[in-house]
Amino acid sequence: MKKIELPEAFVKRVSEDTFLGTSLLDALNDEQPVAIRINSLKGPSVFSDLETIPWSKNGFYLKERPVFTLDPHFHGGRYYPQEAGSQFIDCIFRQLSLPEDPIVLDLCAAPGGKSTLIADFLSGNGLLLANEVIQGRSRILKENLTKWGAKNTLVSNNDPSDFETLNHVFDCILIDAPCSGEGMFRKDQEARNEWSVESVNLCAARQKRIVMDVWDSLKPTGYLIYSTCTFNEQENEANVEWILDQTNSELVSPDIPFAKKGRNGIGHYALPSELKTEGFYVVVIRKPGEERIQKNKSKKKSSLTRIKAESWMNEWVSTDKSEFVQWNNYLFAVPGGKLELIENLHTKLRIIKLGTELGEISRKGLIPNEALALSEGLLSSQIPNIELSKDEALHYLKGETFQLNGTQGFNTVSFEGTKLGWIKHLGNRFNNLYPKEWRIRMRVD
């Protein structure tokens, strides 16, 4: 593929910006580094002898880019390919003074890299609501969080303005704001074609609107983490100064190893001319304290029905600290002690992932959902599991069937200890229950 030239107006601006330096232009034409983040919820790494990312607890560089689609561990959520600069978020979360069970919103969350990072940080505590306004991207977000296996996650498909009805709910809000994409010029050649001065102006204005749409839903003394994948001052430092002026908030300056301090000391940059990253900017803002906190009283009745863990459920689920709700004919496990909040969110937002979906309740019992197979700490140890070879695993992930010995009925299948999903064994054959929309569509032979 022929390389697309950097936009002329962008080159001129960077050349005149002593903060960035012209070395950035050369770096944007270099080879892109490959980074991943290990899922600590699912046990030890499936990789060995990797270079660590200094600012990310579970981040590593790969020596070369593999075909992730052909790795069953990738489909089972054992790791996530994530650009190293955006993993600054991991370092930041570990320095915030958050409550023991924080309520976190990832507002512009698709495809889910930062959401899986936050889920890993929470380690089963608190609650993460990951939101995406574009419907198709919200389904991808749901898929990636489901595969990650964290029990305390919800996914919503809402515009930021829909959060105006929520008052003082979140201890921390991450806004990885839609931007002009300058930091992606090396990773995504088409981003060069889409960039323009007008796009920068539009993005900067939209970013302000997005922040103010959700500001009231942040608790007093809560944290707003604002980030972009762009280099310009207009979308970054200037927007932050505007937010500080509008909200009377204060900057928080975490320590991020090797990061470049932003202009006037506002925020931090990952610059590909200085680090093995793409372009990334992040800043932390703390909301001032307030005496009066409005309660979120919804007049709309929740359609969720609380249920007790029935005896038959023990066959499927390790009940631990979860609570259980029924929504239509589907059963879900949600974090204990968070049900009232979840009901409130469910009445005000379009929730498409509700904790862990256990399955559909039928007259014959529970038809298990893939989320249960992929969850950590929920699946009962009584459920039979079949270990697959790599060849078998890839054919399973394509939705195919093949000769397979196993216990009659529902079984999970796994590859090298990584759960992949369900089959229903019928004795002489099996039904492949891997979701159609998740299936591999490329050749695996």
Side-chain angles (χ1 to χ4, degrees), residues 55-71:
W55 49 84
S56 179
K57 182 179 179 182
N58 298 306
F60 299 89
Y61 291 105
L62 299 184
K63 294 176 182 177
E64 58 185 8
R65 179 175 293 277
V67 182
F68 292 116
T69 303
L70 298 182
D71 183 2

Side-chain angles (χ1 to χ4, degrees), residues 279-295:
F280 188 69
Y281 172 79
V282 64
V283 68
V284 183
I285 296 169
R286 193 165 198 183
K287 189 175 186 176
E290 299 173 21
E291 292 183 4
R292 298 182 63 186
I293 299 179
Q294 302 175 41
K295 291 188 176 181

Side-chain angles (χ1 to χ4, degrees), residues 16 42 56 58 145 160 171 185 188 191 200 274 328 335 348 378:
E16 295 172 351
K42 294 198 173 186
S56 179
N58 298 306
L145 268 177
D171 297 292
F185 281 175
D188 181 4
V200 171
E274 300 183 9
N328 297 324
K348 295 184 176 181
L378 268 177

Side-chain angles (χ1 to χ4, degrees), residues 219-239:
K219 290 179 183 177
T221 72
Y223 297 95
L224 171 70
I225 304 174
Y226 173 85
S227 65
T228 72
C229 56
T230 197
F231 305 115
N232 69 76
E233 186 173 3
Q234 189 174 348
E235 295 180 72
N236 297 338
E237 292 92 343
N239 260 1

